[in-house]
Amino acid sequence: MTKENIGLKWEYAPSPEATDHAKINKQYELFINGKFTKPNSKKCYNTINPATEEVIAKIADANEKDVDLAVTSAKTAYDKYWKKLSGAERAKYIFRIARVIQERSRELAVIESLNGGKAIRESRDFDIPTAANHFFYYAGWADKLEYAFPNKKVQSLGVAAQIIPWNFPLLMAAWKIAPALATGNTVVLKPAESTPLTALKLAEIIQDCDLPPGVVNIITGFGATGAAMVNHPMVSKVAFTGSTDVGKLIQKSIAGTTKKLTLELGGKAANIVFDDAPINQAVEGIVNGIFFNQGHVCCAGSRLFVQENIAEEVISKLKARMQTLLVGNPLDKNTDIGAINSKEQLDKINNYLKIGVNEGLEIYQSDNCSLPKKGFFCKPTLFIGAAQSNRVVQEEIFGPVLTIQTFRTIEEVIEKANNIPYGLSAGVWTDKGSKIFNLTSKMRAGVVWANTYNKFDPTSPFGGYKESGFGREGGLHGLAPYVNLI
Ligand code: NAP
Ligand code: MG
């Protein structure tokens, strides 16, 4: 971006993505044993489009009996076929899923944006291709496990109960299902209550790929459904992505059992800009780090640390850049920031905006940004002059809200960045490789990006320190939680 066009908001004609090609049923049942099955609970709930508040479909609410059916079918499929299948044969199924996701990527992207509120640019260019890439990547490992773990005998575990949140619905499903299948386990997966649709489309894809019935079961419902999955005695492995509070509940409820557990929880990442950084790129990285996906990103760069002598310049460029951000219809290809996922989440973010103001912080929002009348939207927001003790600095907001602190020395910023209960990710912007290595080795964070932010690749492990959880997903590391090594 040149100096001249920073802060200039272009007027674009509306450019909405077509939705007529996206096939969405009026009602979805539970995907158990290879078939869509009526829930024993006889209950269902409405899933909505958070950008319009319109109902999209009715979704089944699985009770304990439904969970039992799903887990039993996963266990039968495990014992009967899946654990006996060679890695090369398992790989064929996983490759097939990857290819069908690619083929249907346009439809999946539209449904992800309709149900989750994220800008189509993100679901189209990030979520869906990355989900397909995870299946491709782990398909490649399925027949090479002896090379992943040399000199060890690799044993699968059995049934994996997998519970995911609403911020990257299909991608989180891919992160969970692909390594589980590659290592020879079977799956019961539950998407978040507010974003079930792409997981249910994935169930259709799995049916079309002729996976043996019961190898993947996808059931919908609320927290109680997730709890029943975690507590089912036939489950050998629990993989959870979500809030730290629910992660702690799960950890307590399986204590004393032999169930294996991975937890991917909340975050509050530091994004650190030194005075020798390329400032314009850093400003883009800051914007991408916190406003990407409405800030519904566990690894969002939600705490900005700027070296004191460049703070004024960075903040003024950031404000100018924020004037150009387009908030609105998630299906419009020009939209930068789509809808907040739910009313509940919007209320939570708005409450933090009040807290920040009451803490005496300077608040900045673009005056060039109007929000749609219907739906759940939030303006991108800065809190300038924040301090370590502020609640908006310490607590996860999970929205497009950035706190800004300044620092003078590298020791000071490492201390401040680490002084938080979370440790999922961080970013650093500097011209000096030595500074990057010094800082990355001292950051208590699972991922540290240097001169970039929010970059993902199936070959790289991802996971947290401290209250951000334990265990890694992605890469070679992501296989380990799904196997016993003898
Ligand atoms: P959440 O309330 O913890 O929900 C996550 C999932 O757990 C949902 O499917 C939820 O079902 C289910 N659940 C709720 N209570 C449960 C219980 N007692 N036992 C078992 N499962 C239960 O989190 P969220 O609000 O959906 O997501 C936001 C949080 O996820 C943030 O804190 C964010 O940082 C974290 N997150 C972390 C990562 C990571 O990789 N570290 C990635 C994405 C998100 P319902 O939807 O029905 O409540
Ligand atoms: Mg919830």
Side-chain angles (χ1 to χ4, degrees):
M1 181 178 293
T2 63
K3 207 172 169 191
E4 293 69 50
N5 65 21
I6 286 181
L8 201 70
K9 188 163 181 176
W10 297 88
E11 290 301 327
Y12 294 102
S15 174
E17 175 75 38
T19 54
D20 52 353
H21 59 89
K23 200 178 146 279
I24 306 176
N25 299 342
K26 291 217 157 38
Q27 180 148 7
Y28 282 92
E29 297 174 337
L30 306 169
F31 184 65
I32 297 177
N33 208 27
K35 289 194 291 284
F36 283 92
T37 314
K38 282 200 188 333
N40 277 292
S41 69
K42 299 197 168 58
K43 280 195 198 147
C44 59
Y45 68 95
N46 290 333
T47 191
I48 66 159
N49 174 346
T52 61
E53 301 174 49
E54 282 161 7
V55 174
I56 310 177
K58 282 197 179 311
I59 304 295
D61 177 8
N63 66 10
E64 230 170 289
K65 193 153 180 222
D66 296 310
V67 170
D68 182 50
L69 273 179
V71 174
T72 308
S73 90
K75 181 74 168 83
T76 310
Y78 176 73
D79 290 331
K80 244 166 116 180
Y81 350 87
W82 201 245
K83 77 171 176 195
K84 297 179 191 156
L85 216 56
S86 70
E89 288 302 315
R90 289 200 304 273
K92 286 185 195 166
Y93 287 110
I94 308 170
F95 274 125
R96 222 181 270 169
I97 298 171
R99 283 195 298 267
V100 181
I101 291 177
Q102 274 189 327
E103 277 165 26
R104 299 199 194 156
S105 58
R106 200 164 151 235
E107 182 187 15
L108 290 166
V110 166
I111 296 176
E112 202 71 300
S113 286
L114 273 174
N115 198 198
K118 65 175 66 195
I120 186 74
R121 214 177 50 200
E122 279 159 19
S123 42
R124 181 196 63 199
D125 298 347
F126 177 71
D127 291 60
I128 310 302
T130 317
N133 286 347
H134 270 268
F135 280 104
F136 276 121
Y137 174 74
Y138 280 110
W141 272 121
D143 64 346
K144 302 176 193 69
L145 296 177
E146 74 224 66
Y147 303 102
F149 305 103
N151 305 319
K152 300 273 185 200
K153 193 167 177 309
V154 182
Q155 258 182 0
S156 53
L157 302 174
V159 179
Q162 307 185 320
I163 300 168
I164 56 175
W166 41 260
N167 55 347
F168 292 95
L170 187 71
L171 182 58
M172 289 295 127
W175 278 28
K176 298 267 180 294
I177 295 175
L181 296 186
T183 45
N185 301 283
T186 57
V187 166
V188 179
L189 175 116
K190 186 191 97 65
E193 71 203 44
S194 60
T195 52
L197 288 180
T198 45
L200 291 161
K201 291 306 278 186
L202 182 62
E204 291 175 1
I205 289 173
I206 282 165
Q207 234 178 2
D208 292 349
C209 290
D210 275 337
L211 234 76
V215 171
V216 175
N217 304 273
I218 296 180
I219 59 173
T220 45
F222 296 78
T225 313
M229 287 165 61
V230 167
N231 293 321
H232 196 289
M234 249 185 252
V235 161
S236 306
K237 153 86 193 166
V238 176
F240 173 79
T241 299
S243 60
T244 297
D245 287 348
V246 174
K248 285 180 181 172
L249 274 179
I250 291 177
Q251 204 171 6
K252 265 191 211 148
S253 69
I254 67 166
T257 72
T258 55
K259 290 174 189 171
K260 276 200 167 196
L261 176 66
T262 34
L263 295 177
E264 301 278 1
L265 308 176
K268 190 78 183 175
N271 203 356
I272 301 167
V273 184
F274 287 98
D275 59 4
D276 56 2
I279 303 290
N280 287 348
Q281 280 97 317
V283 168
E284 273 313 294
I286 295 162
V287 166
N288 175 40
I290 182 65
F291 301 137
F292 166 78
N293 201 29
Q294 299 71 248
H296 293 341
V297 184
C298 45
C299 52
S302 49
R303 291 182 298 148
L304 176 64
F305 290 93
V306 195
Q307 202 152 17
E308 202 174 74
N309 52 331
I310 53 158
E312 216 179 289
E313 182 188 358
V314 170
I315 292 170
S316 102
K317 285 190 167 169
L318 193 54
K319 286 179 174 174
R321 181 67 179 92
M322 284 167 70
Q323 294 278 340
T324 69
L325 292 176
L326 298 170
V327 182
N329 180 4
L331 287 170
D332 193 308
K333 290 167 208 139
N334 297 317
T335 295
D336 296 300
I337 300 179
I340 300 300
N341 183 262
S342 63
K343 164 110 186 13
E344 190 188 357
Q345 186 61 23
L346 180 59
D347 290 346
K348 181 178 160 194
I349 298 168
N350 283 335
N351 190 38
Y352 273 110
L353 296 186
K354 279 196 205 125
I355 292 172
V357 171
N358 289 339
E359 284 181 318
L361 301 181
E362 178 190 338
I363 187 170
Y364 175 82
Q365 292 179 322
S366 160
D367 49 24
N368 205 5
C369 164
S370 59
L371 300 184
K373 296 271 170 297
K374 267 210 123 158
F376 315 130
F377 291 91
C378 178
K379 287 188 182 182
T381 305
L382 303 180
F383 276 124
I384 302 164
Q388 281 301 108
S389 57
N390 292 137
R391 277 186 65 189
V392 286
V393 167
Q394 289 292 326
E395 297 172 20
E396 189 186 42
I397 300 174
F398 224 58
V401 182
L402 178 69
T403 61
I404 305 182
Q405 294 171 261
T406 58
F407 68 94
R408 288 184 184 169
T409 66
I410 189 163
E411 293 74 25
E412 177 192 352
V413 76
I414 290 172
E415 167 103 30
K416 283 182 170 169
N418 282 336
N419 184 6
I420 193 111
Y422 296 109
L424 193 57
S425 59
V428 51
W429 299 82
T430 168
D431 191 30
K432 302 276 179 300
S434 55
K435 242 188 230 169
I436 293 172
F437 287 118
N438 180 14
L439 193 119
T440 47
S441 58
K442 291 178 185 145
M443 290 299 292
R444 308 287 297 157
V447 183
V448 186
W449 285 289
N451 294 325
T452 188
Y453 207 91
N454 270 340
K455 287 280 178 274
F456 287 88
D457 189 281
T459 62
S460 311
F462 183 86
Y465 279 61
K466 301 189 276 185
E467 296 217 351
S468 292
F470 50 78
R472 294 291 177 264
E473 292 187 305
L476 176 56
H477 299 68
L479 294 167
Y482 287 96
V483 294
N484 276 327
L485 299 176
I486 301 161

